[in-house]
Amino acid sequence: MESLKVTVRFYASLRERLGVKKVNLQLEEGSSFTSAMEKLAETLGNKADVIFDKLKIKDSVMVSVNNNLVKPSDLTELKLKDGDVIDIMPLPSGG
Amino acid sequence: MKVKVSPELDDLQSLIDQLKKSSREIGAIAVFVGTVRGTFRDEKVLRLEYEAHETLAPKVLEEITADVKKKYGIIDAVAEHRTGKVEVGEDVMYVLVASKHRKEAFQALTELVDRIKTETPIWKKEITEKGTHWVENPK
């Protein structure tokens, strides 16, 4: 079966708590964002709760795909393409 | 309109002067200067460190500034935010709004500052006498 590779990058407090800057995921062709997150949670193991609450992305986290912010409600059905870059970030705290 | 996310801010007086020159319609320029406070609760703050998403932060800053400019019908705006280490007492953010009259300048400035702090992917780490922690958005 064809596969696709996506990169997941982490920022600020999430990166420090996870102890890793990025993770590469190998997924089946046509995979959704949700299935990528299931694979990510599996990869992160016991540190997955930094990002997830029962496999759902926490409200305290925001997501962009290829440098475009995506609303949580639009993430579920989002289909991924080979080479996509997903950024997982804490909510802003600048100023 | 000008936005910048960088280790250094531009000279504030120069930003004001540039805005004044941009239109003869300008009758008010409202300015916000964010500076590093030396205390966090009862702790003495040594410095702050800011991290920004290199691509998204300037992009979101530009979108927010354009949105506020349109909403309040202001003439021009500038939004700059520093990254990296910032010492106590140093400036970290400049937001300037130029308009015909002061009322819309104050309103636009307030909304723009609030939205920069809550929507732009920039994160703040506080280094105090007792330790280091990331400042969390309360949501």
Side-chain angles (χ1 to χ4, degrees), chain A residues 2 4-6 17-20 22 25 30 38 41 52 61 69 71 75 82-84 94:
Chain A
E2 296 272 324
L4 59 89
K5 195 171 118 181
V6 301
R17 288 171 69 191
L18 292 170
V20 62
K22 64 178 182 178
L25 299 175
E38 286 168 3
F52 301 101
V61 169
L69 286 172
K71 290 180 196 166
L75 285 171
D82 189 43
D84 278 351

Side-chain angles (χ1 to χ4, degrees), chain B residues 85-127:
Chain B
K85 291 178 184 175
V86 187
E87 303 295 330
V88 171
E90 287 185 354
D91 296 345
V92 71
M93 177 161 92
Y94 291 154
V95 184
L96 297 84
V97 169
S99 62
K100 282 188 178 179
H101 306 288
R102 68 182 184 282
K103 188 178 176 185
E104 64 266 29
F106 286 137
Q107 288 173 330
L109 183 70
T110 301
E111 179 163 332
L112 190 48
V113 172
D114 287 347
R115 291 187 62 185
I116 290 168
K117 288 166 77 83
T118 55
E119 295 179 32
T120 310
I122 297 175
W123 305 280
K124 174 167 52 190
K125 184 191 262 184
E126 256 171 349
I127 293 93

Side-chain angles (χ1 to χ4, degrees), chain A residues 58-73:
Chain A
K58 290 180 173 178
D59 291 342
S60 57
V61 169
M62 65 181 195
V63 175
S64 76
V65 178
N66 301 330
N67 290 322
N68 292 299
L69 286 172
V70 185
K71 290 180 196 166
S73 57

